[in-house]
Amino acid sequence: MVNQFRLILITLCTGTDSAANPKDLLIDLEKRKGKKEWVCPGQLAFVLKRSEDPSIIQRALSLVPAIGKESLATSVADFTSLISVLAKRGMLNDAFKVFHEMTEVNEVRPNTVTFNALIDGCARYTTIHSSYKHPPTTHHYYRHHHHRHHNI
């Protein structure tokens, strides 16, 4: 039932029936980016979760900067879904880049599930590649944001 709901939601977000095929959905998302329209992080998670093709994975990751700050699609659940898929694949650098995109660029506040996804990825894959110039941490997020939300 949940997967059916997710397919319906993705179909409604994209306006197409390509939700069943990750490659078709990716093509639709790339068209959206070309038109300067927003891209939903949940849609990218769907593509990444259902594809093993490295070229599709890289194409999907190239769309992360197209996630729209103004759209309703930038929910913590969608970002967390994308972070979780990346962490489970061992793509920790990309997971932390999405975390940065989520918190700093889109100003979406992470929740416990978001942090658990990152921790789970770190526990599974202990080596973070040196391609990330600054060690990915959540300390930066809390140093700058925690004081604003301590009374929530």
Side-chain angles (χ1 to χ4, degrees):
M1 179 75 170
V2 173
N3 287 339
Q4 259 184 333
F5 177 72
R6 187 101 174 124
L7 288 174
I8 291 167
L9 183 62
I10 290 171
T11 301
L12 291 173
C13 285
T14 61
T16 69
D17 61 354
S18 63
N21 184 338
K23 188 172 183 178
D24 290 343
L25 177 57
L26 179 62
I27 291 168
D28 288 341
L29 294 175
E30 288 172 332
K31 287 178 185 175
R32 284 179 165 276
K33 181 184 177 190
K35 295 178 186 175
K36 305 283 189 215
E37 295 176 5
W38 58 266
V39 172
C40 175
Q43 294 168 326
L44 292 178
F46 180 86
V47 170
L48 290 169
K49 188 173 185 178
R50 288 175 171 69
S51 181
E52 296 298 324
D53 182 345
S55 67
I56 290 178
I57 292 169
Q58 287 307 312
R59 286 169 53 197
L61 290 175
S62 73
L63 294 175
V64 169
I67 294 172
K69 183 176 178 179
E70 293 80 22
S71 77
L72 296 175
T74 55
S75 73
V76 67
D78 283 328
F79 272 110
T80 300
S81 177
L82 180 55
I83 289 168
S84 178
V85 169
L86 292 168
K88 285 178 182 173
R89 286 184 171 264
M91 302 171 74
L92 296 178
N93 288 327
D94 294 310
F96 278 100
K97 288 176 186 176
V98 170
F99 179 84
H100 172 79
E101 186 81 19
M102 172 186 173
T103 59
E104 300 300 321
V105 178
N106 287 280
E107 299 174 354
V108 174
R109 186 172 177 212
N111 60 20
T112 304
V113 180
T114 310
F115 288 108
N116 284 341
L118 291 169
I119 291 167
D120 183 56
C122 291
R124 289 177 193 227
Y125 306 96
T126 57
T127 304
I128 296 178
H129 301 287
S130 61
S131 62
Y132 199 80
K133 293 181 182 176
H134 304 287
T137 66
T138 57
H139 175 69
H140 172 76
Y141 172 78
Y142 269 102
R143 186 177 63 221
H144 294 290
H145 299 283
H146 188 63
H147 68 277
R148 292 190 294 183
H149 304 292
H150 69 282
N151 290 329
I152 293 178

